[in-house]
Every structure is written in structure tokens, then in C-alpha cells.
Amino acid sequence: MPARILDGKALAQKVRKDVAVEVARLKAEHGLVPGLTVVLVGENSASQVYVRNKQSACEAAGMHGTIDRLAADTSEATLLATIDRLNADPAVHGILVQLPLPSQINERAVIERIDPLKDVDGFHPVNVGLLTIGMPRFVPCTPLGIQEMLVHHGVETRGAHAVILGRSQIVGKPMALLLVQKGIGGDSTVTICHTATRDAAAETRRADILIAAIGQPEAVRADWIKPGAVVIDVGMNRRSDGSLCGDVHYPGASEVASLITPVPGGVGPMTVAMLLRNTLRAALLAQS
């Protein structure tokens, strides 16, 4: 039986509506408008699309969304000064520096400069540490969105064997940390596969939940998947003909899996929805 689709787009719309309701309440009761500033360095076309989508989503939720655009040759010192200004601005509750950054800028130094209470991407070492010890504050948006999808669709994570392809700071590692947390959406046994894993396919065939985040077009084939597994495809790639695809070969995988995310329309919309939720949370923390 073909897999059922995990519709991230529909769930994201629900999350965004819930956020908008809470934003309206904050405005009416406290005169508080959550604010997100996205810093974009350079002219990367994909980044520009992502940034515009984030700004539009903020405005649709009733938030204040702005974009700080800096030239591609901006120095690290200038970018850090921009972050300092945003850290000090009480109207800015969330700061997101769009990655990747130009080669002259140290990405880690930039992430560490953001106020942890405004780090709605969840990449600051303080927020990573809080997640690690089981006291999450801001969690990276893509893993958080995936967990939300699993819970919403009734996927049993407790005792499940989850295999994650990819060990990035953005998806792989925080996803593993979320899945091993105690409670709803957690309590999984987690395996992380990466470039040094000797036989990734052998690991994925044991997975009840398979999360692919390796950036390789359609690398995960049907014979990598345990029959009845839940498959989450984080990849967003282009085939040679320019069409979009994920890290998973969808036609084959959908004949083996029980649930699967499409590309596009799966994980991507949830990432934006979680960014809005994190920004709302940042505004509430600033108020308290």
C-alpha cells in the first residue's frame, strides 16, 4: 500500500494561525508586537527567496518583519556591529542571520554574537546547551518542525529506532537531541549516520523513523527503507532538468514507507512556522 503523505503545508498553516491569534492577543492586551529582523549578506538568490518568505510569513501573522541587507563584501566587523545594534533594539525580539555567509566572515563568531534570548534560529551555544541538558528554550526550526509533524500525525516515538542521515548543527544533531528527550515526541533510540559511517544503508533498514538530511538528490532508495517506516525528507535539491527533489527517491520510497513527507510541501513550510513560534516565544520572554 502506498505511503500516506505527511502534509507539512497544512500543519504549518494551522501553526501559523495559532501564532497569529496569540500575536493579536499580545497587541490588544499589552501593545506588544513581536519583531523579527533577518540579516542577509550578499546576493545569493536562494537566500533572497528564503528571506522574503520569512518576512511575508511574519507580516501575515501580524508580526513586524524586517530585512537588513548588507553587501557581499561586508566585513565581519560591520556584520557584528549590525548584530550589536539589533541586540540593543527592544523592538527586535528575534534575530536571524541568513546562512551561508561570505568567506571573509566567521560564521561561528556571528552566531555567538547574537543575544541568546533573541536567537530564534537556536544555533547559539547557550541554546544548544539548554537543549542538550533537557531544558530547551530555542530549538532549531527544522528539527522542531519535524518533531511537531511526528506528534501531530500520531507517530509513536517512544521506544522507536530513529536513524538520522546527516550530523549538521542545523538539522542532524539537534534532531537527535530532540528525539532522545523524555516525553511526547521523544524517548527514541537514535542513530546518526554521516560521511564516515561504513554502511549507512544497513543502518537505515533498521529505522522505524528515517530522517534524511544529507543534501544529495534522491540518494536514499527504496531498498534503504524498512517496510512500514516513517520517512522524513529534509533535502531540497534540483535534478539536472531543474526540477525539485529531496534526498529520498520518492516514487520508490513511497511504496515501502507507511508515512512520507513530499518535497516540496513537507518539512519546508514547518521550518517557517516554527520560526514564527520561536519569535513569539522570544517576545513573551522579553515581556516577562
Side-chain angles (χ1 to χ4, degrees):
M1 181 181 295
R4 290 189 294 123
I5 293 175
L6 284 167
D7 188 349
K9 190 173 182 180
L11 178 56
Q13 287 298 326
K14 178 183 181 302
V15 172
R16 289 168 65 160
K17 286 179 181 178
D18 291 344
V19 168
V21 169
E22 183 64 12
V23 168
R25 184 193 68 79
L26 278 178
K27 286 181 182 179
E29 296 181 6
H30 304 283
L32 176 64
V33 180
L36 171 69
T37 296
V38 180
V39 181
L40 177 62
V41 184
E43 304 294 330
N44 182 288
S45 57
S47 293
Q48 291 192 61
V49 171
Y50 295 148
V51 166
R52 283 197 300 269
N53 289 342
K54 290 166 184 174
Q55 183 185 33
S56 297
C58 277
E59 292 173 352
M63 297 180 177
H64 185 53
T66 60
I67 303 173
D68 269 19
R69 300 180 185 274
L70 302 176
D73 61 355
T74 294
S75 68
E76 182 177 310
T78 298
L79 177 54
L80 293 176
T82 298
I83 293 171
D84 289 342
R85 173 175 56 80
L86 296 173
N87 283 338
D89 188 342
V92 176
H93 302 102
I95 302 169
L96 187 158
V97 178
Q98 186 66 40
L99 305 177
L101 291 169
S103 59
Q104 76 272 14
I105 297 174
N106 183 324
E107 187 175 290
R108 175 52 54 190
V110 170
I111 290 170
E112 292 180 0
R113 194 66 161 250
I114 298 171
D115 183 341
L117 290 172
K118 296 189 177 188
D119 168 42
V120 289
D121 251 345
F123 297 159
H124 192 284
V126 169
N127 289 318
V128 174
L130 288 171
L131 174 59
T132 302
I133 64 172
M135 299 176 62
R137 179 169 59 198
F138 295 120
V139 176
C141 300
T142 298
L144 192 60
I146 291 169
Q147 185 184 54
E148 184 85 6
M149 293 175 74
L150 294 173
V151 171
H152 178 79
H153 288 91
V155 176
E156 182 58 77
T157 58
R158 181 177 175 81
H161 182 199
V163 175
I164 302 167
L165 292 173
R167 56 180 169 183
S168 73
Q169 308 288 352
I170 297 173
V171 180
K173 289 179 182 177
M175 188 77 251
L177 290 169
L178 277 179
L179 287 171
V180 298
Q181 301 288 320
K182 292 183 179 180
I184 296 172
D187 289 316
S188 297
T189 299
V190 180
T191 299
I192 301 177
C193 296
H194 44 75
T195 52
T197 300
R198 289 175 181 166
D199 189 349
E203 300 294 338
T204 62
R205 291 188 195 106
R206 299 169 52 233
D208 302 306
I209 302 169
L210 174 59
I211 300 169
I214 51 177
Q216 297 179 18
E218 301 180 318
V220 179
R221 314 300 286 190
D223 63 357
W224 285 40
I225 299 168
K226 175 182 176 181
V230 175
V231 177
I232 307 293
D233 191 348
V234 183
M236 181 66 76
N237 312 293
R238 289 198 180 274
R239 301 184 183 92
S240 56
D241 64 1
S243 60
L244 289 173
C245 67
D247 291 346
V248 177
H249 183 253
Y250 185 90
S254 63
E255 295 296 323
V256 182
S258 61
L259 292 166
I260 190 169
T261 56
V263 176
V267 173
M270 288 301 298
T271 298
V272 177
M274 293 301 105
L275 174 63
L276 298 182
R277 183 181 284 179
N278 277 353
T279 302
L280 172 61
R281 178 170 172 74
L284 292 170
L285 288 172
Q287 181 193 33
S288 61

